[in-house]
Amino acid sequence: MTDHHPTPSVCPLCAVGCRLVPGEEGRARGAAGPANPNGRLCRKGVDAYQLGGDDRLTEPQVRRDSDLTVVAWETAYERIVEGIQDVIETHGPNALAFLGAPHCSNEESYLLQKLARTLGTNNVDNRARLCHSSSARALSEQVGWPATTGSLDALNDADVLVVAGANPAERQPIAFNSFVRPAVTHGTTLVHVAPVGNRTTRLADHHVAPRPGTDALVFDLLSAALIEDGNVDHEFIRERTRGYDAFAASLAGMDRDRVMARAGVDPETIRQLVGRLTGADRVAALVGTGIEGDVDDPNAAEALIDLLLLTGNVGHRGTGLYVLRGLVNEQGATDAGCVPDRLPGHQPVTDGTARTRVAEVWGIEPPAAPGMNASELLAAFGEEIRGAVIVGENPAISKRDSAWIRRRLAALDLLVVLDISPSETTRHADVVLPVAAGVETEGTFTNLERRIQLSRPTREPPETVRADFDVLREVGCRLFTDRDWFDYTDVGEVFDELTRVAPTHEGITYDDIGPEGRQWPGETDSTLYTESFDTPDGRAAFGRAQYDTETGDSTVDPETEGQLRLVTGGRASEWPADRTASDHPLRMHPADASDRRVASTDEVVVSNGSVAIETTVEITDRIRQGTVSLPAGVADPLLRCEASTVRIRPPSEYQETDP
Ligand SMILES: Nc1nc2c(c(=O)[nH]1)N[C@H]1C(S)=C(S)[C@@H](COP(=O)(O)OP(=O)(O)OC[C@H]3O[C@@H](n4cnc5c(=O)[nH]c(N)nc54)[C@H](O)[C@@H]3O)O[C@H]1N2
Ligand SMILES: Nc1nc2c(c(=O)[nH]1)N[C@H]1C(S)=C(S)[C@@H](COP(=O)(O)OP(=O)(O)OC[C@H]3O[C@@H](n4cnc5c(=O)[nH]c(N)nc54)[C@H](O)[C@@H]3O)O[C@H]1N2
Ligand code: SF4
Ligand SMILES: [Mo]
């Protein structure tokens, strides 16, 4: 049933941005909005009101001796202000770190980075953005903004959709069911690029399963074949791009047989895909965390953008690159400037004109030197970094070794954490501030298609907690008693300041966001780059072939050494609906299984060096040979030691001293 509630909240649980209101028995009920036009919610969204449910922080706490003690808000604020001033006096502002706030609103994210920068440091980041960092970088460098180029409803206009390194059927289910599924039903071809089949694959017409980390090579092979056949958009290339000749030349130097062997795809697959692309007027690509790879992997997003540019598939409806972002306001926190090298609106901190623009509004110029990113900051905790303010992040859960993170957190002189619930991170804090949950506060959130939506509170927070907004504003006022930099009366005033500082948001006002939301930038329709690209010369830039033509690729193929490549997916949060891991988490190809005398449902040991986990097997031909997959939660012990390959053995054959 479609339901138009006058004042819905935005679902705080992922970047799709569905709208919801309280339903029965503590559950959420969907309220139709642009991202969930049918008013549906996914399994996870239905539980949105459980966030901060049973396990809730309600009183501010300050560490006295070794224990956290409940205190009045006044006392907590005094401790924070003193602590921050101490760090600055002794070590300077660059000894501070500000982490957050992709769970919070645009206004809260804006306040967080303003706090950092008015104090004199660019050490501000949100680690969720690192989930899609290479895609964002490729977009910035090649076309303009680190954001999805189109809107969800335009996916219906695509003839071909390429989903790479993502599983939106499970991870962004409402976007998938509302926009991808209907497009496919109406004849759009769905190509899924992933080494392991998942729920998204079930809807796909083609499943391409390259060797993990080699997507870029597949996209380059497609580009090379299209160029060879003359099936490229010459007019688009001439009028709207630069660097084509160098790109084509770099592909021409590629040994295609060798690249195909490296990527583990056959000529027939490439031929079929080329056929699909040649026959399509409009192609759009959707990417997730699976193409992010390791730092050494070739840049898949760049190769994919090259392929889209080559075929004229950026800058009109039904085309372009969609970044399937994860957390509710990952896009917005980044837009608002919770990034160490970018001011609000993605302007480089190193750009003097951009800093002056900010200074005109703030009354103080932000520092010019880029800060450290979230990973660097964490690694410097207790060394260069002496104090940290963490808003809605939990660095203590991560792929990193947990003892290492605990040591880092404990080594700080000042750790301030704003959270809804206790976590590993709050346990190490010197000050813990209990804050309101997303459904309890007013503010704007920007979804994965750049849509800024107003979220209204649909539940009362406990009386003793405060909104992140109020806390950040109060801390700002107390740190700058002789300035009015943080004297805001309401959320709308902060949003309107953001739109004056961030060129992306220029012309949008809080009061006219409206029920459909507003996609930034303000002056264009929902598709970016219809006239020109946001690059210095207005043209999109081609990259280079991602295969190293000089050296070839000398990476030893793990499959030849009895090892299997490990891929993980479905990294599950601590969310109830995510804790339904499959019964047989390890998936492997029949040939790999029979080589190891392993049968379906068998117990096996999955190991790398001294790290081993026991689990059961599902045998499937929807995974490429030589690769096995595990849900990320199960694989965590292996991921923490950065294992990318594993051995699989029956428990009887496993010995701890094995290599
Ligand atoms: N229910 C639920 N939904 C969520 C979240 C949650 O915790 N629970 N978290 C949200 C967050 S923060 C994020 S970042 C997103 C993540 O959303 P996704 O990026 O879709 O996350 P995964 O499910 O891990 O999917 C990654 C896919 O990439 C594949 N893959 C692995 N290696 C490679 C490779 O080298 N090449 C290719 N082409 N594919 C590869 C994996 O097999 C897997 O299918 O999900 C969001 N949605
Ligand atoms: N082991 C493990 N590691 C992971 C992941 C995983 O699932 N498991 N996921 C990876 C991915 S894809 C990502 S994006 C990152 C996510 O990393 P984080 O964002 O650090 O982790 P979360 O647990 O999503 O959220 C952190 C905290 O935000 C709080 N929070 C929620 N809403 C609000 C709010 O409105 N205000 C405030 N102040 N706090 C709020 C929650 O209570 C929680 O304690 O972690 C990555 N690392
Ligand atoms: S798809 Fe995302 S935003 Fe929509 S209901 Fe599910 S978790 Fe919430
Ligand atoms: Mo994420």
Side-chain angles (χ1 to χ4, degrees):
M1 190 185 71
T2 303
D3 183 1
H4 291 269
H5 191 277
T7 57
S9 294
V10 169
C11 173
L13 300 181
C14 98
V16 174
C18 301
R19 296 228 180 104
L20 49 77
V21 293
E24 272 152 32
E25 293 172 6
R27 311 193 119 216
R29 185 159 53 89
N36 59 334
N38 302 318
R40 295 215 177 89
L41 300 176
C42 73
R43 248 171 8 122
K44 192 177 168 196
V46 165
D47 289 337
Y49 290 93
Q50 287 184 27
L51 187 63
D54 300 339
D55 187 19
R56 182 104 194 209
L57 290 165
T58 52
E59 307 284 351
Q61 297 170 66
V62 165
R63 189 167 300 279
R64 294 229 170 99
D65 304 320
S66 60
D67 295 323
L68 283 169
T69 314
V70 170
V71 295
W73 275 94
E74 183 61 29
T75 312
Y77 282 132
E78 280 166 12
R79 174 80 182 82
I80 295 170
V81 170
E82 264 166 40
I84 289 179
Q85 283 166 345
D86 280 352
V87 170
I88 294 179
E89 268 159 39
T90 323
H91 306 278
N94 284 326
L96 291 170
F98 294 81
L99 291 177
H103 286 286
C104 300
S105 66
N106 289 320
E107 297 73 24
E108 289 159 347
S109 296
Y110 180 82
L111 288 185
L112 184 68
Q113 62 81 41
K114 185 174 180 182
L115 201 53
R117 293 186 162 120
T118 48
L119 285 169
T121 182
N122 280 314
N123 284 342
V124 54
D125 202 359
N126 76 90
R127 66 199 202 110
R129 88 183 166 91
L130 299 171
C131 293
H132 304 97
S133 59
S134 75
S135 310
R137 193 173 55 245
L139 283 163
S140 308
E141 285 170 5
Q142 295 185 268
V143 296
W145 307 114
T148 292
T149 65
S151 58
L152 287 169
D153 69 351
L155 291 175
N156 204 28
D157 293 355
D159 302 311
V160 174
L161 291 174
V162 179
V163 174
N167 183 11
E170 281 185 76
R171 312 295 273 172
Q172 291 85 6
I174 298 295
F176 187 80
N177 289 329
S178 306
F179 303 102
V180 177
R181 196 178 289 281
V184 172
T185 307
H186 292 122
T188 299
T189 299
L190 180 65
V191 178
H192 193 210
V193 187
V196 196
N198 56 37
R199 231 180 248 174
T200 301
T201 322
R202 292 189 199 158
L203 192 70
D205 302 279
H206 292 277
H207 177 204
V208 186
R211 188 168 280 141
T214 64
D215 299 69
L217 307 185
V218 175
F219 301 135
D220 277 352
L221 285 165
L222 295 174
S223 288
L226 288 163
I227 292 174
E228 188 178 77
D229 298 349
N231 278 321
V232 302
D233 188 335
H234 293 289
E235 190 188 330
F236 184 89
I237 292 169
R238 192 174 56 242
E239 305 289 328
R240 307 239 11 220
T241 69
R242 79 182 122 87
Y244 171 72
D245 291 340
F247 173 61
S250 70
L251 289 179
M254 183 169 82
D255 177 343
R256 278 195 240 169
D257 289 336
R258 197 162 164 192
V259 173
M260 246 180 284
R262 173 74 197 116
V265 289
D266 55 37
E268 175 57 19
T269 303
I270 297 293
R271 203 188 56 73
Q272 277 184 2
L273 291 180
V274 165
R276 290 292 194 173
L277 294 174
T278 307
D281 276 341
R282 290 159 193 258
V283 180
L286 295 82
V287 295
T289 58
I291 63 152
E292 288 295 318
D294 302 323
V295 275
D296 305 328
D297 280 341
N299 189 335
E302 181 183 316
L304 189 50
I305 294 172
D306 289 336
L307 179 63
L308 292 170
L309 291 174
L310 192 69
T311 49
N313 277 306
V314 189
H316 48 275
R317 269 183 78 82
T319 71
L321 189 74
Y322 288 67
V323 184
L324 293 168
R325 290 201 178 263
L327 300 185
V328 58
N329 205 33
E330 196 176 306
Q331 182 65 49
T334 307
D335 299 339
C338 287
V339 189
D341 58 349
R342 302 275 154 164
L343 297 166
H346 310 287
Q347 311 167 91
V349 292
T350 48
D351 176 348
T353 319
R355 288 199 309 278
T356 306
R357 183 184 163 116
V358 174
E360 275 162 11
V361 178
W362 287 5
I364 182 175
E365 189 170 307
M372 289 189 257
N373 71 27
S375 323
E376 293 164 345
L377 286 168
L378 206 55
F381 276 13
E383 287 162 24
E384 295 120 276
I385 300 298
R386 310 301 318 173
V389 176
I390 299 186
V391 182
E393 294 208 1
N394 181 17
I397 63 138
S398 77
K399 282 193 210 169
R400 310 291 282 270
D401 168 36
S402 40
W404 179 86
I405 293 195
R406 280 200 294 275
R407 280 199 302 277
R408 297 267 68 80
L409 292 172
L412 290 167
D413 302 336
L414 175 73
L415 174 59
V416 179
V417 182
L418 283 65
D419 209 308
I420 300 170
S421 312
S423 69
E424 251 319 292
T425 303
T426 60
R427 277 187 268 288
H428 292 275
D430 300 295
V431 185
V432 178
L433 299 176
V435 292
V439 293
E440 297 163 349
T441 52
E442 174 174 331
T444 65
F445 292 83
T446 305
N447 80 350
L448 56 79
E449 48 161 357
R450 287 175 285 108
R451 189 181 299 278
I452 302 162
Q453 301 194 85
L454 201 52
S455 184
R456 305 272 193 197
T458 47
R459 180 177 74 188
E460 286 279 318
E463 225 175 287
T464 45
V465 315
R466 305 212 173 149
D468 291 293
F469 179 84
D470 294 318
V471 175
L472 293 168
R473 174 178 60 177
E474 184 65 27
V475 171
C477 287
R478 284 170 182 254
L479 281 164
F480 298 104
T481 42
D482 53 347
R483 309 276 179 183
D484 61 359
W485 295 339
F486 289 87
D487 285 353
Y488 301 101
T489 48
D490 57 25
V491 171
E493 203 182 328
V494 175
F495 182 83
D496 290 343
E497 182 176 309
L498 164 65
T499 68
R500 282 188 288 139
V501 172
T504 43
H505 288 53
E506 201 175 313
I508 304 175
T509 62
Y510 194 72
D511 289 335
D512 63 28
I513 289 173
E516 290 303 301
R518 286 285 297 271
Q519 281 176 285
W520 65 257
E523 77 279 9
T524 52
D525 70 5
S526 56
T527 308
L528 289 179
Y529 320 126
T530 50
E531 304 293 326
S532 70
F533 290 93
D534 265 285
T535 52
D537 61 0
R539 288 167 175 271
F542 276 101
R544 288 279 187 287
Q546 297 284 328
Y547 181 75
D548 190 339
T549 42
E550 298 282 295
T551 59
D553 195 327
S554 59
T555 318
V556 180
D557 192 346
E559 295 154 36
T560 59
E561 300 186 333
Q563 306 239 351
L564 295 163
R565 267 297 291 254
L566 172 68
V567 301
T568 56
R571 178 167 282 294
S573 58
E574 292 302 301
W575 207 247
D578 278 349
R579 288 203 214 112
T580 48
S582 87
D583 291 327
H584 307 294
L586 181 80
R587 303 177 74 198
M588 67 195 296
H589 189 271
D592 293 327
S594 79
D595 282 355
R596 289 162 181 78
R597 298 182 309 281
V598 166
S600 226
T601 77
D602 274 4
E603 288 266 331
V604 290
V605 176
V606 184
S607 65
N608 178 300
S610 61
V611 183
I613 50 180
E614 251 182 76
T615 181
T616 54
V617 173
E618 177 191 325
I619 295 174
T620 168
D621 54 12
R622 281 165 91 197
I623 184 164
R624 62 166 295 115
Q625 197 178 338
T627 297
V628 291
S629 88
L630 278 173
V634 178
D636 263 341
L638 292 160
L639 296 177
R640 287 197 186 108
C641 69
E642 297 185 356
S644 59
T645 61
V646 288
R647 284 180 195 281
I648 312 276
R649 271 165 289 209
S652 56
E653 291 176 22
Y654 174 71
Q655 291 173 337
E656 253 179 66
T657 49
D658 280 358

